[in-house]
């Protein structure tokens, strides 16, 4: 009996040392110390021993039980402490690590250019006037002195909608009529920014959609010199002080007289290069004095009021400033392109 108890003690102690987690510890407890455990079975069998052996064996078995229970509790405490330490290490939050910055959006290059234009014209007293992208033929063409079959319409291949006489605006100029009818007979100083649409072949030089900024000033005694001064101030603020300006006569149905506004080439400074087609000049706007017919369509008497208007692109100047050689990048949504202009 005593040999059995010694053997049990050795096996139980070795097993207790070897186990490494709480589940194994519980299994160990069940094997040796539970009601059906090996030690309990031995204790029960003490009663079947010859009387002279019982006290020694009983005492030895009880000592062993106490010893194993104490060892069990120590081991349990050890394992719990170990488990907690492991959990703390594994789930540790390193407060010294720098935070992960959220990925920030940024303004589209066209929006950046538009905002610079707004700021420059705001300083000259121009308000932003919003007009719709979907227009009527009447506002897009007719009231701007382009009746049906007018040859100037050939300049634009147009997106017509399925509804008769409704189209995507080909320019921001219909906003001129809307602004005049809103403000008449007050004087006007507005810019009309927005997207324009033309059913054109898309190439590196031309997109089927692009931004324009239209400008309109109407009042008494507005003269060509006001237009020239405004355009010159804009070019100096946008492209650099001291830029040379040139006003070339031109034709638009809704202005009379009409001019093309040129600026000396920002790449070659007027020497002549590939971008300015070796002329030394870059066209930055079309402009002119508001045609009397258009003034009248807006509600103003052309014998009393006069005005000037201009229209300019937004993407083309941005292409020049940033040496971008393909306008299609602007709306192709390639983040690698957009991220370069934070
Ligand atoms: Zn040039």
């Amino acid at each position: 009996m005593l040999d059995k108890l010694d053997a049990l003690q050795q096996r139980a102690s070795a097993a207790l040392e070897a186990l490494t987690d709480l589940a194994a510890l519980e299994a160990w407890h069940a094997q040796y110390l539970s009601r059906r455990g090996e030690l309990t079975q031995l204790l029960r069998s003490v009663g079947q021993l010859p009387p002279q052996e019982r006290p020694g064996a009983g005492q030895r078995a009880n000592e062993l039980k106490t010893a194993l229970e104490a060892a069990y509790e120590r081991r349990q405490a050890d394992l719990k402490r170990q488990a907690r330490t492991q959990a703390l290490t594994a789930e540790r939050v390193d407060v010294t690590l720098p935070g992960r910055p959220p990925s920030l959006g940024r303004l589209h290059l066209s929006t950046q250019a538009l905002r610079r234009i707004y700021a420059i014209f705001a300083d000259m007293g121009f308000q932003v006037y919003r007009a719709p992208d979907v227009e009527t033929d009447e506002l897009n063409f007719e009231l701007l002195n382009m009746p049906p079959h007018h040859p100037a319409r050939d300049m634009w291949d147009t997106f017509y909608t399925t509804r008769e006489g409704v189209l995507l605006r080909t320019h921001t100029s219909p906003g001129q009529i809307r602004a005049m009818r809103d403000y008449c007979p007050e004087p006007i100083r507005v810019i009309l920014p927005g997207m324009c649409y033309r059913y054109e072949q898309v190439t590196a030089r031309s997109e089927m959609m692009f931004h324009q900024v239209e400008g309109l000033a109407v009042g008494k005694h507005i003269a060509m010199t006001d237009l020239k001064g405004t355009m010159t101030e804009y070019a100096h603020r946008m492209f650099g002080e001291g830029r040379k300006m040139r006003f070339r006569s031109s034709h638009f149905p809704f202005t009379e007289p009409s001019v093309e506004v040129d600026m000396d080439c920002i790449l070659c400074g007027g020497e002549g290069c590939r971008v300015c087609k070796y002329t030394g000049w870059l066209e930055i706007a079309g402009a002119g004095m508001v045609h009397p017919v258009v003034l009248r369509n807006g509600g103003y008497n052309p014998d009393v009021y006069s005005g000037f208007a201009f229209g300019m692109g937004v993407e083309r100047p941005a292409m020049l400033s940033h040496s971008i050689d393909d306008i299609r990048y602007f709306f192709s949504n390639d983040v690698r392109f957009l991220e370069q202009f934070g």
Side-chain angles (χ1 to χ4, degrees):
M1 183 70 185
L2 291 176
D3 290 344
K4 280 186 181 172
L5 287 169
D6 283 345
L8 178 70
Q9 180 172 26
Q10 282 192 0
R11 266 194 299 123
S13 300
L16 191 63
E17 278 305 312
L19 61 84
T20 55
D21 62 59
L22 287 163
L25 180 67
E26 290 315 308
W28 179 91
H29 188 270
Q31 189 183 345
Y32 296 104
L33 293 173
S34 71
R35 276 176 53 216
R36 293 174 177 278
E38 291 182 33
L39 183 56
T40 317
Q41 301 295 331
L42 278 178
L43 266 168
R44 284 200 192 119
S45 68
V46 167
Q48 287 142 28
L49 291 172
Q52 70 275 21
E53 290 180 20
R54 283 181 210 163
Q59 192 191 357
R60 176 77 182 90
N62 277 315
E63 281 169 6
L64 180 54
K65 188 173 189 227
T66 313
L68 287 182
E69 276 174 352
Y72 165 77
E73 275 166 29
R74 276 198 307 277
R75 192 78 181 116
Q76 188 181 43
D78 281 353
L79 287 173
K80 282 187 174 167
R81 198 165 48 241
Q82 263 179 33
R84 193 166 57 242
T85 310
Q86 272 175 6
L88 283 173
T89 314
E91 295 161 23
R92 194 162 72 108
V93 175
D94 184 351
V95 294
T96 64
L97 273 176
R100 297 191 191 112
S103 102
L104 292 177
R106 65 198 75 207
L107 294 176
H108 191 279
L109 184 52
S110 296
T111 307
Q112 294 176 34
L114 279 167
R115 290 192 177 184
R116 284 186 66 200
I117 295 171
Y118 299 163
I120 292 168
F121 283 102
D123 286 351
M124 292 191 269
F126 286 78
Q127 292 186 346
V128 171
Y129 185 95
R130 296 278 176 191
D133 289 25
V134 180
E135 268 296 3
T136 60
D137 186 276
E138 184 186 26
L139 279 153
N140 194 78
F141 291 123
E142 288 171 40
L143 295 173
L144 294 168
N145 209 17
M146 284 180 279
H149 314 298
H150 190 288
R153 289 191 182 210
D154 292 349
M155 290 196 297
W156 297 299
D157 288 317
T158 308
F159 287 109
Y160 288 96
T161 68
T162 48
R163 201 192 302 178
E164 182 84 20
V166 177
L167 48 86
L168 297 185
R169 64 179 174 190
T170 55
H171 52 172
T172 43
S173 307
Q176 287 190 30
I177 301 288
R178 291 176 176 275
M180 282 192 272
R181 288 182 172 181
D182 265 5
Y183 283 99
C184 184
E186 299 297 318
I188 299 177
R189 228 185 276 180
V190 293
I191 53 172
L192 307 110
M195 195 73 92
C196 304
Y197 310 86
R198 293 180 195 173
Y199 183 56
E200 280 179 1
Q201 189 179 5
V202 174
T203 68
R205 291 283 301 156
S206 60
E207 253 288 4
M208 48 139 257
M209 60 185 218
F210 50 90
H211 286 96
Q212 262 190 355
V213 174
E214 187 97 359
L216 175 69
V218 176
K220 293 174 181 168
H221 316 298
I222 290 185
M224 191 78 177
T225 47
D226 299 312
L227 169 62
K228 292 173 88 170
T230 304
M231 290 286 90
T232 304
E233 176 66 13
Y234 162 72
H236 287 179
R237 293 273 306 270
M238 191 74 179
F239 300 104
E241 206 61 48
R243 294 248 72 95
K244 290 203 250 338
M245 305 299 291
R246 183 175 76 171
F247 295 83
R248 242 173 337 116
S249 80
S250 183
H251 170 78
F252 303 107
F254 34 93
T255 46
E256 179 59 38
S258 304
V259 291
E260 301 283 357
V261 183
D262 295 343
M263 173 183 80
D264 59 332
C265 177
I266 56 176
L267 295 181
C268 65
E271 296 284 315
C273 69
R274 194 175 59 83
V275 171
C276 60
K277 300 197 179 80
Y278 302 98
T279 62
W281 296 96
L282 294 170
E283 184 188 318
I284 61 166
M289 302 307 290
V290 182
H291 196 287
V293 169
V294 175
L295 276 176
R296 195 175 291 115
N297 288 339
Y300 290 85
N301 178 355
D303 295 331
V304 181
Y305 294 92
S306 55
F308 67 78
F310 57 85
M312 57 175 91
V314 174
E315 281 80 26
R316 290 262 170 81
M319 289 171 75
L320 288 173
S321 305
H322 296 285
S323 303
I324 298 162
D325 57 11
D326 193 327
I327 196 171
R328 290 171 291 194
Y329 288 132
F330 281 81
F331 306 115
S332 59
N333 270 346
D334 187 334
V335 173
R336 292 170 302 178
F337 169 76
L338 299 171
E339 279 181 345
Q340 293 175 48
F341 309 101

